[in-house]
């Protein structure tokens, strides 16, 4: 299980803030250099996936970027300052499927600009400055299915501009300056076109004989907000039309409706006549001509009561919208004929007087919307609606909820009580709502939860208590909500969470405590007890403060075995400085796998670079360090075994110098001076590993004589054996080592042999005299050196002062 913690320090230099800052910086560089991508673009981001996309939105570009890779499937250049599209802009992008260019200043498109986009399926040119669509403009877009041209200034469309768009299914021309429906003739005849949106233009008539004498395949037509004077269908050209939007059409109540045959629009199931400028008789005849299949009718802002009766006589009508019609009162009679309606929306009517029997005749009411209606209490009319599934009472002025307000709403699943003035909840209020799964009490004035959630509501899955005035959550406050999955308590004034505050919420997945004043003492294991399904805990923007290095008394989240996301960024304390300014929302840098891959790849590359650099320049030092480490290990083992000295000196030398050792050193020291030497070719035990032999030799000898030449340094000195073995020579702090230089070795040549150089700097040593010089002094000094017993070199009266020439 992966736990994601989102947090940020709050100007107190916490480790968290430094960490998040570091991650932010890394993320920034990652985005800036985008090193994981095969291609890169100067101004855009490329997201490589199955559908490689180019993201250039909102970059103040003046032209389409010239470096779009050919293998992209989606290009987003929305929200820039591009004023025209040139022929070469999208050349060769033959697999591009989606091109998004809304919100630019495009006024001109060169002919053939899209001709290579044979795979393009969606083209969005909305919110631009196009004034006309020319003949060749969309040439080549054989596979285009969705074309968005809304919010331009298009007033003319050339007759063949859409000619080859065989696959076009959806065309949005909303909010343009079209004034002649005839010009759309060619569009309507496109073989695949299903949905046409031409609302908010200047169309003043629709007359079917101008368009076609054959049927067209359109299923959805939005003509809303056009100043239509006449809507005339004299042939069955819309046999498949299902959805027709005529809202706010016409001017000055004058729109004329001429549908020659009731069967012509017999497939329309959804009709919007809201705010239509038409006489009462006019609307009446519209409703009659669509009297076969109509299931959903919009009659908002129409201000004519009698229409309700007409509409409700349509036997198939199920959904009736009557928003903003100024019925301040709803009598028993108003909806009497709407017996078959299942969804009724009478929001925004300033209803203050609602008869108790207002909905009684509606036998199968499932959804009732009474929002924005000025109700000061839950109306009696909504009780006992046994079939009701959804009740919206939001945006009223309800102050209190009574025990019988929701009585017998046994099937109610969703209840909206948001944006009211409720301050108190009684334990009895929701008891009858046995099927309720969603309750919204957002934006009220609730001070405490009372016993509202300790009994009943056992099927509730979602409870929104955001924007209230709760100050504490007490033990068992949500005890009975055993199905609850989402609990929102954001934007309250919660300061205290009692032990067991969330007891009973065994299925809770999301707990949002964002924007309260919860302090660190509330973050206790006992508070979160029982939340074993919790996946997301959001405690951002509270007052949780930990001092640097402070330890948690008791791990607070141990019960939360399913937790995946913990948000605790933006904690504010009541310090003198308002710390809000320093908020760092690390949410935006929440780390995804990509950055880990990036970091590990980068580290690997850097390590490799560093490795080869080191190998090249500092090879010897590294080899050295390695041996030193081995030596340390070995020496620690060895030191415990005290071996008596068997030899006076062990002589370490390179085979090339064996000649000198045998001819000069051996006869003098063993023969003349009488010391017992240990030489590897003579004294090492056969069959024993070389390293053992050398170590034994060093530890069994009082002194070790190193015969130093260039060759010795290169091979012997760095050999594993000598390094391991000679550890004693350096670290026992005894004057064990005698350095004999057979050749002259300048200081700079010594520098790679770091330890040797240090020795030479710290100690005195002996140099073999040049050819022809007297050797007697040398042998004398060597004898003295061999005689001294473990004195620190500095105190050796004889060796001190001996200098290398
Ligand atoms: C957009 O481009 C025009 C010239 O084409 C320029 O005058 C205008 O300032 C630009 N707008 C922005 C926001 O850069
Ligand atoms: C156009 O769409 C069809 C059907 O989806 C598809 O088979 C064909 O490959 C597409 N053409 C191109 C050029 O992508
Ligand atoms: C068409 O454009 C209008 C205006 O922008 C928008 O409200 C509507 O949702 C669009 N319709 C579709 C299907 O895109
Ligand atoms: C439809 O038929 C009428 C009468 O025959 C004719 O005047 C009209 O031009 C035709 N409309 C179209 C779009 O072909
Ligand atoms: C719709 O048709 C039915 C019969 O098919 C009829 O009784 C009813 O009055 C009609 N409604 C309207 C509004 O014309
Ligand atoms: C509703 O009443 C208000 C003022 O009382 C008026 O401005 C508005 O036009 C009325 N709406 C309708 C649809 O009659």
């Amino acid at each position: 299980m992966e736990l994601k913690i989102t947090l940020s320090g709050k100007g107190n230099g916490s480790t968290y803030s430094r960490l998040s800052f570091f991650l932010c910086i890394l993320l920034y560089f990652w985005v800036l250099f985008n090193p994981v991508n095969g291609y890169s673009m100067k101004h855009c981001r490329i997201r490589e996936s199955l559908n490689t996309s180019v993201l250039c939105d909102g970059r103040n570009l003046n032209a389409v970027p010239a470096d779009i890779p050919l293998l992209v499937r989606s290009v987003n250049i929305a929200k820039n300052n591009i004023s025209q599209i040139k022929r070469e802009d999208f050349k060769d992008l033959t697999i591009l499927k989606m091109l998004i260019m809304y919100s630019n200043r495009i006024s001109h498109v060169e002919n053939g600009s899209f001709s290579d986009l044979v795979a393009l399926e969606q083209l969005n040119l909305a919110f631009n400055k196009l004034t006309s669509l020319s003949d060749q403009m969309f040439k080549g877009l054989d596979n285009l299915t969705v074309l968005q041209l809304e919010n331009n200034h298009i007033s003319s469309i050339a007759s063949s501009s859409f000619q080859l768009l065989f696959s076009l299914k959806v065309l949005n021309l909303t909010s343009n300056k079209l004034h002649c429906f005839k010009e759309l003739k060619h569009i309507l005849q496109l073989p695949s076109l299903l949905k046409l949106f031409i609302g908010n233009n200047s169309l003043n008539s629709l007359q079917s004989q101008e368009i076609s004498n054959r049927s067209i395949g359109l299923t959805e037509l939005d003509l809303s907000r056009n100043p239509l004077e006449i809507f005339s269908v004299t042939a069955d050209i819309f046999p498949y039309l299902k959805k027709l939007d005529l809202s706010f059409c016409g001017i000055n109540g004058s729109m004329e409706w001429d549908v020659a045959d009731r069967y012509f629009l017999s497939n329309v199931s959804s009709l919007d006549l809201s705010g239509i400028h038409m006489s009462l008789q006019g609307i009446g005849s519209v409703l009659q001509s669509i009297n076969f299949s109509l299931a959903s009718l919009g009659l908002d802002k129409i201000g004519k009561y009698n229409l309700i009766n007409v509409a409700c006589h349509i036997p198939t009508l199920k959904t009736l919208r009557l928003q903003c019609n100024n019925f301040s009162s709803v009598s028993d009679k108003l909806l009497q004929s709407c017996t078959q309606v299942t969804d009724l929306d009478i929001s925004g009517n300033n209803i203050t007087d609602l008869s108790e029997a207002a909905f009684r005749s509606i036998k199968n009411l499932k959804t009732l919307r009474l929002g924005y209606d000025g109700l000061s209490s839950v109306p009696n009319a909504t009780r006992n609606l046994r079939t009701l599934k959804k009740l919206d009472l939001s945006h009223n002025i309800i102050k209190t909820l009574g025990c019988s307000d929701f009585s017998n709403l046994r099937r109610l699943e969703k209840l909206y009580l948001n944006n009211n003035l409720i301050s108190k909840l009684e334990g009895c209020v929701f008891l009858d709502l046995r099927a309720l799964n969603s309750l919204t009490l957002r934006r009220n004035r609730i001070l405490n939860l009372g016993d509202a959630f300790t009994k009943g509501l056992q099927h509730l899955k979602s409870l929104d208590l955001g924007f209230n005035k709760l100050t504490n959550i007490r033990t068992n406050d949500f005890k009975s909500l055993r199905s609850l999955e989402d609990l929102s308590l954001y934007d309250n004034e919660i300061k205290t969470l009692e032990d067991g505050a969330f007891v009973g919420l065994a299925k809770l997945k999301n707990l949002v405590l964002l924007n309260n004043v919860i302090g660190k003492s509330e973050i206790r294991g006992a508070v979160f007890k029982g939340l074993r399904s919790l996946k997301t805990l959001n405690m951002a923007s509270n007052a949780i403060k930990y001092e640097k290095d402070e330890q948690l008394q008791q791990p607070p989240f141990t019960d939360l075995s399913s937790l995946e996301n913990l948000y605790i960024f933006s904690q504010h304390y009541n310090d003198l400085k308002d710390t809000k300014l320093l908020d760092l929302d690390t949410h935006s840098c929440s780390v995804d796998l990509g950055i880990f891959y990036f970091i590990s790849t980068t580290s690997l590359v850097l390590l490799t670079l560093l490795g080869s650099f080191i190998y090249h320049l500092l090879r010897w030092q590294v080899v050295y360090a390695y041996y030193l480490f081995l030596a340390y290990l070995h020496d620690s083992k060895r030191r415990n075994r005290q071996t008596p000295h068997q030899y006076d000196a062990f002589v370490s030398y390179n085979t090339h110098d064996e000649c000198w050792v045998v001819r000069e050193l051996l006869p003098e020291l063993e023969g003349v001076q009488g010391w017992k030497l240990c030489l590897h070719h003579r004294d090492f035990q056969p069959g024993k590993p070389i390293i053992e032999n050398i170590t034994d030799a060093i530890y069994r000898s009082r002194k070790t004589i190193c015969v130093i030449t260039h060759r010795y340094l290169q091979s012997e000195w760095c050999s594993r054996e000598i390094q391991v073995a000679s550890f004693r020579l350096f670290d026992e702090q005894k004057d064990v080592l005698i350095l004999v230089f057979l050749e002259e070795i300048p200081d700079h040549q010594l520098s790679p042999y770091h330890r040797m150089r240090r020795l030479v700097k710290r100690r005195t040593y002996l140099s073999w005299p040049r050819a022809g010089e007297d050797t007697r002094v040398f042998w004398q000094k060597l004898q003295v050196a061999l005689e001294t017993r473990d004195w620190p070199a500095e105190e050796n009266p004889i060796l001190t002062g001996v200098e290398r020439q």
Side-chain angles (χ1 to χ4, degrees), residues 185 189 208-213:
K185 189 163 72 178
Q189 281 163 359
S208 65
Q209 72 268 25
E210 293 178 351
I211 305 162
S212 174
N213 283 331

Side-chain angles (χ1 to χ4, degrees), residues 204-236:
N204 52 23
S205 77
L206 182 152
Q207 286 174 290
S208 65
Q209 72 268 25
E210 293 178 351
I211 305 162
S212 174
N213 283 331
R214 292 181 291 122
S215 62
I216 50 189
L218 219 56
T219 60
E220 192 170 339
L221 177 60
D222 177 4
L223 276 168
S224 62
R225 293 172 204 271
N226 275 293
L228 285 187
E229 278 163 20
I230 180 158
F231 181 89
S232 158
V233 179
T234 52
D236 194 11

Side-chain angles (χ1 to χ4, degrees), residues 295 317-320 338-345 362-368 387-390:
L317 193 70
K318 294 275 187 255
T319 303
L320 179 59
C338 302
T339 52
Q340 79 285 24
V341 168
T342 59
D343 290 10
L344 181 65
D345 185 348
I362 308 180
K363 289 287 173 273
N364 199 16
L365 194 61
K366 295 224 167 78
T367 301
L368 177 57
T387 55
L388 204 63
K389 288 194 166 168
K390 204 187 267 187

